[in-house]
Amino acid sequence: MSRAAVLGSPVGHSRSPDLHRAAYAALGLDGWTYEAVETTADQLPARVGDAGPDWIGFSVTMPCKLAALAFADVRTTRADLIGSANTLVRTADGWRADCTDVDGVAGALTEVGLPDSATRAVIVGAGGTALPALAALADAGVTDVAVVARDAGRAEGVLDLADRLSVSARVVDFGSVAAVRTVCGEADVTISTVPAAGAAGIADAVAVSRRVVDVIYDPWPTPLAAAVDAAGGVVVGGIVMLLNQAYSQVEQFTGLPAPKAAMAAAVGVTL
């Protein structure tokens, strides 16, 4: 038997068990299990360190992503760059940390129709999700990013990463609706990384963007998504990100191509 799980707190709402179980079934991996295990950041080292040889991997959600990176024996370049990990995989060299959140955002950018010529983007929010969002944007060729944040101090981590990625970045005050409207109108894509209620107050300003990725998937549609749709823009929700980050995790856990159609069906998406 091979075992895997998602670690986090709270973790009961996670859709990862649906995705991974559907993948293992489609791949014919009889005896493979996947569960949700309530785990705090302080508990993660013991939880993973005490895992027997039947444990092959862990998905990691909040608040454990920093602890996962610190615990790992080996780290991918992008996990080190971003400073957090949502994936731990058992290898011959120990536990390897990766950040497949980048793959999640990349999949959403493809789904929203980001053109190859795109150079400008807006990221709403400066928390942990903003970092893999920025990395995916840089991978897509974006070179200019406006970070909409309530507190310029909280955006320092995003600005530092932008500098290391050779991306020009600046902070726009979340409270300045006119400024938000301007940068979103100029952007090739806007990624909102804040809770649904948090983005509601600037939804109409953000909705001038032609393409919007909203990382929320429940509840859906969010006020922001509804505003973008009403304005005639294209909006992609967090379920697309969830799927794409899970595809990469399944492939790392199993060594097999992810059965994307089966995984998407498990969360009500038709490919």
Side-chain angles (χ1 to χ4, degrees):
M1 181 176 76
S2 292
R3 305 175 68 185
V6 56
L7 308 179
S9 183
V11 78
H13 67 285
S14 175
R15 303 300 303 274
S16 291
D18 299 327
L19 293 169
H20 282 258
R21 289 169 186 166
Y24 303 160
L27 292 169
L29 298 174
D30 297 332
W32 282 55
T33 66
Y34 188 100
E35 58 194 281
V37 180
E38 190 76 14
T39 305
T40 66
D42 289 341
Q43 292 170 333
L44 182 139
R47 183 84 69 197
V48 180
D50 292 343
D54 52 336
W55 287 93
I56 50 88
F58 294 95
S59 308
V60 182
T61 188
M62 297 302 292
C64 298
K65 294 185 177 183
L66 299 181
L69 184 72
F71 173 83
D73 303 293
V74 183
R75 302 166 184 83
T76 64
T77 300
R78 63 183 181 178
D80 255 340
L81 183 68
I82 292 163
S84 69
N86 74 328
T87 306
L88 288 170
V89 185
R90 188 188 292 277
T91 72
D93 298 317
W95 289 100
R96 183 184 71 228
D98 190 21
C99 184
T100 72
D101 287 328
V102 178
D103 301 317
V105 179
L109 293 175
T110 298
E111 185 76 13
V112 84
L114 186 68
D116 292 339
S117 60
T119 58
R120 293 184 177 182
V122 174
I123 298 175
V124 180
T129 307
L131 298 172
L134 178 59
L137 288 167
D139 287 344
V142 169
T143 56
D144 185 276
V145 174
V147 182
V148 178
R150 296 184 187 277
D151 180 355
R154 287 199 66 216
E156 288 182 0
V158 183
L159 297 180
D160 176 66
L161 177 59
D163 184 62
R164 286 181 285 143
L165 293 171
S166 299
V167 172
S168 175
R170 64 196 184 282
V171 177
V172 174
D173 183 6
F174 194 101
S176 178
V177 176
V180 173
R181 186 183 303 274
T182 296
V183 294
C184 287
E186 296 171 345
D188 295 297
V189 66
T190 295
I191 301 177
S192 176
T193 69
V194 299
I202 58 171
D204 289 340
V206 174
V208 302
S209 186
R210 291 161 286 179
R211 305 172 191 87
V212 174
V213 174
D214 189 342
V215 304
I216 305 301
Y217 63 85
D218 186 22
W220 189 264
T222 62
L224 174 58
V228 174
D229 186 61
V234 179
V235 60
V236 168
I239 198 70
V240 174
M241 291 175 53
L242 182 71
L243 279 167
N244 279 273
Q245 63 84 27
Y247 297 155
S248 183
Q249 285 185 344
V250 165
E251 291 176 352
Q252 292 189 52
F253 289 0
T254 68
L256 300 170
K260 296 181 179 180
M263 294 173 68
V267 289
V269 175
T270 301
L271 296 184

